Amino acid sequence: MSPMRAAAFCLTLLFLLSSPDDKDVNYLQLKAAKLSGEAASVTNLSLHRDGANFDFSKGDFFFLEPVLGKVPGAVFIGDGQFRMVPTIDIEKKNLSIFTNEPSIGEPFTELVLHFTDNTYDEILKAAAARKEAPNSKAQSSLESRLDLLRKGRVTARPYANSSLLNSNLAARLLSDLYDPAHAGFFNAFIKGKKFSQLMFRVDPRGVPSFEPEEVILASFDDSTMGVWNAFHLKDHYRNEVADEDHRLFDVQNQQIEVTIKGTELSAKVRTTIQVLVDGPRVLSFNLFPTLRVTKVADEDGREVKFIQEPKDEDPDLTLIYAQPLKKGTARLDFEYAGPGAIENDGSGNYTLAARDNWYPATTFGDRATYDMTFKLAKDLTMVASGQPKETREEGNLQITRWTSEIPIAVAGFNFGRFKKSVSKSPSGYEFESYANTGVPDMLKPVEQYLTGTFSTTSLMDKARSEAEVATGIYNTYYGPLPYGRIAMTQQTAPNFGQAWPMLVYMPITSFFDATIRYQLGMQTASDFFKIVGPHEVAHQWWGHIIGWKSYRDQWMSEGFADFSASLFAHLIYKDEKFLDFWKDQRDDLLQKNRFGVRPVDVGSVTMGYRIDSAKTGNIGRNMLYPKGAFILHMLRMMMFDSRAGGDAPFIEMMHDFVKTHFNQNVSTEDFQKIVDKHMTPDMDLGKDHTMNWFFDQFVYGSEVPRYKLDYTLEPQGDKTVLKFRVTQSEVPDSFKMLIPIYVETQDRKFSRLGSAKLFGKSSQDGAITLGFKPRRALLCAYDDVLAIIDGR
């Protein structure tokens, strides 16, 4: 340790020993983020971090005050350059959206660093430290960058992931300082000459919302906002490491007691966790910012220190243990209360705003068992995830208890002045529907101008019936659900649904009749209302029984739920609505938005919602849902065999997928292994007995082929000869595909004759003798391939 650093450390110790604050004093010092007065001048210094280089031509480093003997950061003022080439190709493509190159070389004049790795020692190897008064310009730069994170929650930044803008940087640093065996964090705020608000981060524990990936590059500037790159440490690719599990702990069980009074929610929660590694002292939970914690205790009743900053500034709930934890089971008791998690929408309508963090949680998909008790006014009806175990009254309160012995990815509830209807399938599965008897405040101003009423209870049986029919279809295609019940519940939100285990939040407009929706100008959304319920029901499989390992795999949840809705549309509304469905999906992908961007062109579905940015707009939804649906639809159509039971091979594959990974989070690679196992001989276009060719093109790639069919129908006695040429274009030479050829019969039915097999830019000629005269020949009658087809 340098003499100046030792002196600063002694001063720090005096401050810590004399601090009267009941919060962790080391956290307070990290939060204060003050420069120590230690500085160093450098010339021609390079710092190499995974995937990036920081080249410092000339300038000065100004260091932060040490904490626990470790300098946690520095500010550089001078001249330098940030250089990075992403490790993987799809990230190079995404970077080029912002830089017009597959790499970045950005000159900078200021750099704010935070670290728990060996950055400080590397700098002092190149320059001697000196002592001087803290530099005011460096201190100002430091504070402005930290303010960017602290104030992000209340700033309109639609394309930057909230976890980056809201993360408590001081708490993250403290975690490593208390557990140095797992340290290695590095974060750089880069004030570049062209891009003024870049952030590069390496976090060996995984970057929040991008776990398990450890490296990101993001911009917080309004014109270039977005997460430009995210990828693993180089060793992951070099050694072909499976996706790492960076979690410090896993939630096993939640016992929750909630009291609701108006919009005030108070709770006592007992959380059982499994500590996964030795050494951590700092654990982070996700709790709605306005729910303020008053007490946290461990299994022995000892109070555990916690951090919960004001709701608009780093409100993450962070626990600090007095001693390092060991692997094994631990228990925590939380007490908290506050407004805001519940909204009163009027006339007995309520909204749970804190959908997935009304209790201390980690990440969506961390499966746990639940035992939940709710107390609320007895004129209201509660419905929740799990099995109803008890309902009783106590004074003016109604008390209900719900349990889930099957670990579930998330738990939720809905309540209001509900009317309830119930039915049971022959198998005993229970279907419930809940609709409110009162009109929410947002609709009252227009109610007087409409013919009819806003009654939602008249169509509540439709929601329940759709759920029952959809569940029957999906049971056939994917296998049965284990939950025993599902509740279709009205929410005030008019334009989206959401599905938690055993609990579906349906848009209030789905409970309106067609006359009311027409008067509200929603006539063009009629198809949405036909499938929103079946889509949400499908999430019981895709999102809950089968979850996603990381944001790169979320496309399966939304895409497979959308695909499932197409099965419902086909079986219930027949060909017309089925074809309309796939036309809408194709249009969502191929139509340019106001930024002049087609969603399908931006990148792979494995980019997740990261494809949203200031350069592309909010295109994530119009990419993940339809592209994910098309991927599964194309596999289904390739596997369809009228001689082997039609969908039987596809159904066998999907049952295997669900059974193999039942109640697990899966990766895209896990899904491909199942597809490889069940692929038909005709699907082996790569001649390697895998579906690599298909996943490379449609999952990881962004090509959209163009097809043209030229044909003649020549009579030969009582037969007809179809002579055809199928042409594939606008693809690279490596592109390959099976293109189904259909004829339409005189009674307007489609009959598949076979498939052309095309490689690169090429054509295939053929002739087929038919025993009838068709109306016409066509390609991909059921949108079998995501493609542009001439003459469609």
Side-chain angles (χ1 to χ4, degrees):
M1 183 184 297
S2 71
M4 290 184 181
R5 182 176 172 189
F9 178 50
C10 292
L11 290 172
T12 299
L13 274 179
L14 289 173
F15 167 77
L16 299 182
L17 292 172
S18 62
S19 173
D21 201 298
D22 62 351
K23 286 184 180 178
D24 184 277
V25 290
N26 296 308
Y27 169 75
L28 290 174
Q29 189 178 0
L30 288 166
K31 183 79 172 177
K34 297 298 182 184
L35 296 177
S36 65
E38 184 182 22
S41 298
V42 297
T43 55
N44 299 323
L45 168 67
S46 290
L47 295 178
H48 306 286
R49 292 297 175 267
D50 213 280
N53 292 291
F54 295 85
D55 301 321
F56 302 93
S57 301
K58 184 177 181 180
D60 297 290
F61 282 96
F62 303 94
F63 298 102
L64 273 68
E65 292 178 342
V67 178
L68 292 173
K70 182 82 172 179
V71 173
V75 179
F76 173 81
I77 296 178
D79 294 317
Q81 186 177 44
F82 168 72
R83 296 181 292 113
M84 189 186 79
V85 179
T87 306
I88 53 180
D89 289 341
I90 59 174
E91 293 298 336
K92 293 175 183 177
K93 177 178 179 179
N94 202 63
L95 183 58
S96 68
I97 293 173
F98 304 94
T99 64
N100 296 318
E101 298 287 344
S103 61
I104 183 171
E106 176 67 4
F108 59 79
T109 56
E110 291 182 18
L111 200 69
V112 175
L113 300 175
H114 291 88
F115 44 75
T116 61
D117 61 2
N118 61 352
T119 298
Y120 176 78
D121 295 329
E122 285 188 60
I123 295 170
L124 290 195
K125 282 182 181 179
R130 66 177 187 273
K131 193 70 178 178
E132 61 182 40
N135 184 281
S136 59
K137 182 178 179 182
Q139 185 68 48
S140 176
S141 180
L142 172 64
E143 292 172 359
S144 69
R145 293 310 181 206
L146 291 178
D147 190 59
L148 180 69
L149 293 182
R150 291 171 181 166
K151 299 298 186 182
R153 185 178 297 274
V154 293
T155 304
R157 296 180 180 275
Y159 310 118
N161 189 282
S162 61
S163 66
L164 296 177
L165 287 168
N166 305 332
S167 59
N168 190 326
L169 186 57
R172 177 62 190 88
L173 294 168
L174 185 68
S175 179
D176 278 8
L177 295 179
Y178 277 151
D179 184 15
H182 295 98
F185 180 85
F186 177 89
N187 193 89
F189 292 107
I190 305 163
K191 185 176 181 180
K193 292 186 176 180
K194 183 176 181 180
F195 305 112
S196 62
Q197 295 191 41
L198 293 178
M199 186 180 81
F200 174 81
R201 178 175 292 185
V202 178
D203 189 343
R205 294 183 179 179
V207 179
S209 289
F210 304 104
E211 304 101 332
E213 292 172 340
E214 305 91 351
V215 185
I216 65 156
L217 175 66
S219 171
F220 296 146
D221 182 78
D222 287 340
S223 63
T224 58
M225 187 172 295
V227 179
W228 294 8
N229 288 129
F231 44 88
H232 283 289
L233 300 172
K234 284 186 176 179
D235 283 346
H236 172 94
Y237 304 104
R238 187 181 298 121
N239 301 325
E240 297 185 358
V241 178
D243 279 344
E244 302 91 343
D245 185 353
H246 296 305
R247 295 177 302 161
L248 300 178
F249 67 98
D250 175 56
V251 176
Q252 302 283 303
N253 175 261
Q254 299 273 23
Q255 297 180 48
I256 306 172
E257 294 183 8
V258 172
T259 300
I260 298 171
K261 294 182 179 180
T263 60
E264 183 88 11
L265 183 152
S266 60
K268 294 182 179 180
V269 178
R270 173 163 289 180
T271 301
T272 302
I273 65 172
Q274 186 74 18
V275 182
L276 301 177
V277 296
D278 289 331
R281 285 183 57 191
V282 178
L283 302 182
S284 294
F285 288 85
N286 179 21
L287 185 66
F288 197 73
T290 60
L291 296 175
R292 308 308 294 177
V293 176
T294 54
K295 182 179 179 181
V296 182
D298 67 12
E299 57 267 27
D300 296 318
R302 295 172 299 200
E303 290 200 14
V304 178
K305 285 188 175 183
F306 64 89
I307 303 164
Q308 192 182 31
E309 297 291 353
K311 65 181 180 66
D312 294 332
E313 295 188 19
D314 301 341
D316 308 352
L317 175 60
T318 303
L319 311 187
I320 304 174
Y321 280 82
Q323 298 296 327
L325 293 168
K326 299 291 185 182
K327 286 183 183 178
T329 303
R331 198 185 72 208
L332 289 161
D333 290 325
F334 299 88
E335 295 182 15
Y336 57 90
I342 294 171
E343 298 170 356
N344 186 347
D345 301 320
S347 301
N349 291 273
Y350 294 87
T351 294
L352 176 61
R355 282 289 163 89
D356 60 355
N357 58 358
W358 57 275
Y359 56 91
T362 52
T363 57
F364 186 97
D366 186 0
R367 287 174 171 76
T369 55
Y370 288 80
D371 189 333
M372 306 181 293
T373 300
F374 299 93
K375 300 178 181 181
L376 74 165
K378 64 181 181 181
D379 65 329
L380 300 174
T381 298
M382 171 63 66
V383 56
S385 298
Q387 304 300 323
K389 293 297 183 181
E390 180 185 10
T391 299
R392 59 187 171 88
E393 291 186 2
E394 190 176 283
N396 292 323
L397 296 178
Q398 179 194 90
I399 301 172
T400 63
R401 179 169 171 249
W402 309 74
T403 65
S404 175
E405 296 179 0
I406 298 171
I408 54 178
V410 64
F413 65 88
N414 197 0
F415 70 98
R417 203 161 290 130
F418 285 141
K419 180 180 177 182
K420 175 184 177 182
S421 68
V422 183
S423 65
K424 282 191 176 182
S425 69
S427 66
Y429 212 89
E430 188 169 286
F431 298 90
E432 308 160 20
S433 185
Y434 295 78
N436 208 294
T437 57
V439 178
D441 291 346
M442 71 173 188
L443 294 174
K444 288 179 179 178
V446 300
E447 187 176 22
Q448 61 181 310
Y449 302 107
L450 301 179
T451 301
T453 68
F454 277 126
S455 171
T456 57
T457 57
S458 61
L459 285 181
M460 61 187 299
D461 289 344
K462 177 177 179 290
R464 191 194 68 236
S465 298
E466 285 183 343
E468 185 169 356
V469 172
T471 299
I473 295 170
Y474 306 156
N475 281 343
T476 298
Y477 275 81
Y478 313 133
L481 289 172
Y483 301 131
R485 61 177 288 268
I486 186 171
M488 309 296 285
T489 71
Q490 173 197 316
Q491 66 173 356
T492 306
N495 59 349
F496 74 93
Q498 197 167 31
W500 272 197
M502 294 157 274
L503 177 67
V504 174
Y505 301 92
M506 290 285 286
I508 189 173
T509 48
S510 68
F511 289 85
F512 295 161
D513 61 35
T515 300
I516 292 295
R517 288 202 295 260
Y518 183 87
Q519 293 175 85
L520 292 174
M522 307 180 77
Q523 58 268 29
T524 58
S526 60
D527 287 345
F528 166 78
F529 294 111
K530 284 184 171 67
I531 65 169
V532 60
H535 172 99
E536 299 303 337
V537 169
H539 277 305
Q540 300 301 299
W541 285 264
W542 312 119
H544 298 304
I545 293 302
I546 300 293
W548 59 90
K549 276 189 178 177
S550 81
Y551 76 98
R552 289 197 182 272
D553 311 304
Q554 191 175 355
W555 68 271
M556 289 184 286
S557 174
E558 296 299 353
F560 289 11
D562 243 19
F563 166 84
S564 302
S566 81
L567 293 178
F568 179 91
H570 203 186
L571 292 169
I572 302 305
Y573 298 112
K574 308 307 178 186
D575 275 7
E576 181 181 357
K577 289 304 176 186
F578 182 73
L579 295 174
D580 287 346
F581 177 92
W582 288 111
K583 178 183 181 300
D584 290 343
Q585 301 290 298
R586 190 174 65 252
D587 289 347
D588 282 346
L589 287 166
L590 299 180
Q591 290 179 353
K592 291 183 177 181
N593 65 8
R594 66 185 182 88
F595 291 80
V597 175
R598 297 193 314 175
V600 74
D601 295 328
V602 174
S604 162
V605 289
T606 62
M607 301 287 288
Y609 283 99
R610 270 188 49 216
I611 62 173
D612 290 347
S613 74
K615 291 289 189 180
T616 61
N618 288 316
I619 62 171
R621 191 261 175 248
N622 281 0
M623 158 69 124
L624 298 181
Y625 285 61
K627 183 79 177 285
F630 254 113
I631 288 167
L632 194 56
H633 176 62
M634 287 189 284
L635 289 171
R636 177 199 180 195
M637 300 312 289
M638 280 191 285
M639 300 180 80
F640 189 89
D641 187 346
S642 58
R643 298 162 299 177
D647 271 334
F650 176 77
I651 290 172
E652 182 183 356
M653 179 182 77
M654 298 308 291
H655 274 247
D656 191 11
F657 184 41
V658 172
K659 185 176 180 180
T660 300
H661 297 287
F662 184 84
N663 222 25
Q664 297 176 5
N665 296 332
V666 302
S667 68
T668 301
E669 292 74 20
D670 292 329
F671 178 56
Q672 185 182 342
K673 288 176 183 177
I674 296 294
V675 177
D676 288 348
K677 177 180 174 182
H678 290 270
M679 62 185 288
T680 67
D682 285 345
M683 295 164 69
D684 191 15
L685 299 188
K687 302 299 182 184
D688 58 0
H689 307 295
T690 77
M691 291 295 286
N692 287 344
W693 66 270
F694 178 84
F695 278 74
D696 287 345
Q697 291 171 184
F698 292 106
V699 177
Y700 303 111
S702 57
E703 289 88 5
V704 177
R706 179 182 289 273
Y707 294 112
K708 182 182 180 182
L709 174 65
D710 296 300
Y711 71 92
T712 60
L713 294 170
E714 299 179 3
Q716 284 191 1
D718 59 352
K719 301 184 183 301
T720 300
V721 176
L722 167 65
K723 294 183 178 179
F724 64 86
R725 167 173 288 182
V726 182
T727 301
Q728 177 173 269
S729 61
E730 299 183 9
V731 293
D733 292 341
S734 60
F735 194 93
K736 49 187 72 74
M737 195 61 210
L738 293 169
I739 305 93
I741 303 170
Y742 289 79
V743 291
E744 185 180 18
T745 61
Q746 296 298 328
D747 58 353
R748 299 183 183 278
K749 302 293 185 183
F750 295 129
S751 176
R752 189 163 78 175
L753 304 179
S755 295
K757 189 180 297 185
L758 293 175
F759 298 83
K761 300 180 184 68
S762 63
S763 298
Q764 180 178 327
D765 297 334
I768 301 173
T769 300
L770 306 172
F772 59 93
K773 181 181 179 181
R775 294 184 72 249
R776 59 174 177 145
L778 68 162
L779 302 176
C780 302
Y782 290 107
D783 275 297
D784 308 57
V785 180
L786 173 57
I788 299 170
I789 299 178
D790 290 348
R792 171 146 34 197

